[in-house]
Each structure stands twice: as C-alpha cells, then as structure tokens.
Amino acid sequence: MQALVDAVIAFAAAHADADGLVRTPVPGLRMMRAWRPSGAMHSVYQPLVCLVLQGEKHMTVGHQARTVQAGDSVLVTADIAVTGRIARASPAEPYVAVAIELDAGLLREVVTGLHPQTPASSVDGRLFVEDAQAAVLDCVARLVRLLDRPEAIPLLHAGISRELHYWLMVGPHGPALRGLAAPDACAARVGAAIRLLRERYREPLPVQALAEAAHMSLTAFHRHFKAMTSLTPGQFQKQLRLVEARRLMRQEGRPARHAAFDVGYASVPHFTRDYHRMFGASPGRDAVAGGRKAAMGAARSENRTRATGVAPALDHIARRPA
C-alpha cells in the first residue's frame, strides 16, 4: 500500500491539475492527490472502482452519502453526478486515491466464464463501499507501474485489466457488478442513452431520442434514468456541460465566454447563472486563474524546450484524458 501511495504522489507531482486530479496515459486509470481538505467538488463519474489509499473523503450521490477512507474500495455502478469533499488531508499525509473505469464488455466476458453464476444484486444504490482486496490492489499497482514503462502499455494493459475485472467480479463487489454485465438490464439500456448524451452533450437532444437509444418508452426512460443518475436527462446534460466548461477554463485557459459556447450554451448570462449555482463562484474567476496557469505552463514548457532542445512529450501525453 505505501509503495503505491508513494508512486501516485510522485507521478502527481508532475501531472496533477489544479484540483489534484491526474489523468494518465494508461487507459481508464486516473489518480487523485490533495494536500488539504477541500470544498465541494462536482464531477460526473462513469462506472468505476476507486481505491482510497490515504486520507478521507465524503461523497454524495443524490440522497446517498458515504464517507470513505484509506483501505476502502468504492464502486460506482452508473454514470452519476457526484459531489465530493476531501475531509482529511495534509502535506504530511495527503489524500491519495486511484480510480479505474470499468469495461462492461470485460465484465460480460468474466460473468460468462463463471460457474455457477450468481444473480445481480437487488440492493438499491449507486455507490458501494467494501474493504479493498489484496488481489485488486495488486492489479492496480501493476497498472500504475506501467507509467514507468509507457512502451509496455499496449502489450500488458489488456491482460492486467481483464484480471482486475475478474477479481472485482468474484469479490465483495461482484453482486452489484452483475447489473452492469447484463446487456438487457435497465442499467445497460440507460447506459446506451448516457453514452449518447456524453458524445453529443453540446447539442440539444430530445428526450425521445434518448429513450429510443435505451429502447424504452418515455415514461419508463424518465423513471429509470432518474433512478440511476439521481438527475433528469436535462440536468445530467447541464452538469456535463458545466464540468467540461470548468475544465476548459481552469486547465486550458479558455475565456469564460468561449468556454460557454464551446460546451453548447447559447447565452453567456444563462451560463454564468448555472455555473455560479453549481460551483458557488463566477466562471470569470476560474477563467482568470486558468489563464494564469496556462501562461505559466507555456513559459515553463518554452524554458524546458530551450534548455533541452526537445519538446516535453511526456507531459503532453500524460495530460490526455484516459
């Protein structure tokens, strides 16, 4: 566990964004490192498993709230809006976590090979917390180790990922995961509509088109979508837009007006109201902070290029979304 914590902190030192989030070149692998407790952080999660390695965090999904801490394995079973708050972190002992997005295709492969098959969980919820299993930690450690050998990622990632999905399926999270693995289950059908929303979140999307993607009637689609995500389709799309706009401003230095149009808003005042309601601050403040960071990053990049004669390719790769 400590070796994994040290590896995450070392990689985050060079690649964490302003919120402590680290995107990596390993597909589906993300990290989080925070030096101090935080205010509310809004995210839209995909199905994933998160291992909390150090510190403590409060997570809220709809009316469901959980506190997770070192040694916990957190399973998210749907595309959901999550409000998180780092509750315990310090320079001496930062909050550290690793998240791996789940692959429904791999889960189906694993379920097909298991005998006897156990039925999906009937437990209501979207967030499940269990003790982290040693076999899962081992797989995650090997995924993180690939960061030191980028050339090995195409060769080794698929095998480690398949093994990880196996250990998750046969462990305490297995019953809840079977709902993701069943192609005809409501979770899979609503997931098809959510994928469409994610791909086209900038566009006005009629709810009828989303219901058709899920192969459901409008009434059934509304009911199941709200049960899975805790939001209406319109609210979910709005969160996708606002979270992406915040990323564009804070990480890429986009002006607020440009970020609003980039994510599909037709009215800047409307965007400003929605943004302030969600994040408790004006988009202009984040845009100014992001502009400063982008300028500083560009200056550091230019200095490194002048000093070495080559562009910082590793930094560029590590910032790509997994």
Side-chain angles (χ1 to χ4, degrees), residues 12-23 31-39 41 86 246-253 275 285-294 300 319:
H15 304 292
D17 67 15
D19 294 319
L21 179 65
V22 185
R23 293 173 173 84
M31 305 170 176
M32 183 74 182
R33 184 268 295 136
W35 298 114
R36 60 186 64 84
S38 73
M41 300 181 294
I86 306 297
R246 190 168 191 252
R247 187 193 69 80
L248 289 172
M249 291 184 294
R250 289 168 63 93
Q251 304 306 319
E252 298 186 14
Y275 193 95
R285 189 189 71 173
D286 281 343
V288 169
R292 289 199 203 101
K293 181 180 177 183
R300 285 196 297 267
R319 283 196 294 269

Side-chain angles (χ1 to χ4, degrees), residues 233-243 265 274 277:
Q235 290 169 335
F236 190 90
Q237 184 179 39
K238 182 187 292 185
Q239 289 226 2
L240 287 173
R241 288 177 169 181
L242 292 172
V243 168
Y265 274 86
D274 284 350
R277 191 176 297 119

Side-chain angles (χ1 to χ4, degrees), residues 256-270:
R257 180 183 181 85
H258 292 178
F261 293 142
D262 286 346
V263 300
Y265 274 86
S267 163
V268 174
H270 184 192

Side-chain angles (χ1 to χ4, degrees), residues 143-166:
L143 287 174
V144 171
R145 200 172 300 135
L146 291 178
L147 295 171
D148 292 330
R149 301 295 296 268
E151 73 280 4
I153 294 173
L155 298 172
L156 302 181
H157 172 263
I160 300 172
S161 184
R162 182 172 283 102
E163 183 184 348
L164 172 65
H165 282 65
Y166 169 81

Side-chain angles (χ1 to χ4, degrees), residues 2 4-14 31 33 35 54 94 96:
Q2 190 56 49
L4 188 52
V5 169
D6 293 343
V8 172
I9 291 175
F11 192 79
M31 305 170 176
R33 184 268 295 136
W35 298 114
Q54 193 167 269
V96 179

Side-chain angles (χ1 to χ4, degrees), residues 77-259:
T77 60
D79 290 72
I80 51 176
V82 178
T83 301
R85 182 171 62 82
I86 306 297
R88 188 170 74 244
S90 68
E93 192 172 303
Y95 173 83
V96 179
V98 178
I100 301 94
E101 294 173 6
L102 298 174
D103 184 322
L106 277 180
L107 290 174
R108 285 193 287 271
E109 285 183 28
V110 171
V111 167
T112 301
L114 291 177
H115 301 285
Q117 292 191 15
T118 306
S121 171
S122 59
V123 177
D124 184 27
R126 309 169 194 91
L127 200 66
F128 300 86
V129 182
E130 302 284 354
D131 290 339
Q133 305 298 294
V136 171
L137 277 167
D138 176 61
C139 289
V140 172
R142 281 184 280 138
L143 287 174
V144 171
R145 200 172 300 135
L146 291 178
L147 295 171
D148 292 330
R149 301 295 296 268
E151 73 280 4
I153 294 173
L155 298 172
L156 302 181
H157 172 263
I160 300 172
S161 184
R162 182 172 283 102
E163 183 184 348
L164 172 65
H165 282 65
Y166 169 81
W167 289 118
L168 288 169
M169 188 64 77
V170 300
H173 286 310
L177 280 173
R178 279 171 168 79
L180 277 176
D184 294 326
C186 287
R189 293 163 68 186
V190 172
I194 290 174
R195 284 194 296 276
L196 184 62
L197 261 176
R198 283 187 176 276
E199 292 166 4
R200 299 169 56 186
Y201 68 90
R202 297 175 178 86
E203 308 171 23
L205 276 175
V207 179
Q208 180 64 49
L210 298 173
E212 289 173 0
H215 301 289
M216 292 180 177
S217 68
L218 273 175
T219 302
F221 176 70
H222 273 290
R223 182 174 69 253
H224 289 296
F225 191 97
K226 185 73 178 286
M228 271 187 61
T229 67
S230 77
L231 301 171
T232 67
Q235 290 169 335
F236 190 90
Q237 184 179 39
K238 182 187 292 185
Q239 289 226 2
L240 287 173
R241 288 177 169 181
L242 292 172
V243 168
E244 173 62 7
R246 190 168 191 252
R247 187 193 69 80
L248 289 172
M249 291 184 294
R250 289 168 63 93
Q251 304 306 319
E252 298 186 14
R254 294 287 285 170
R257 180 183 181 85
H258 292 178

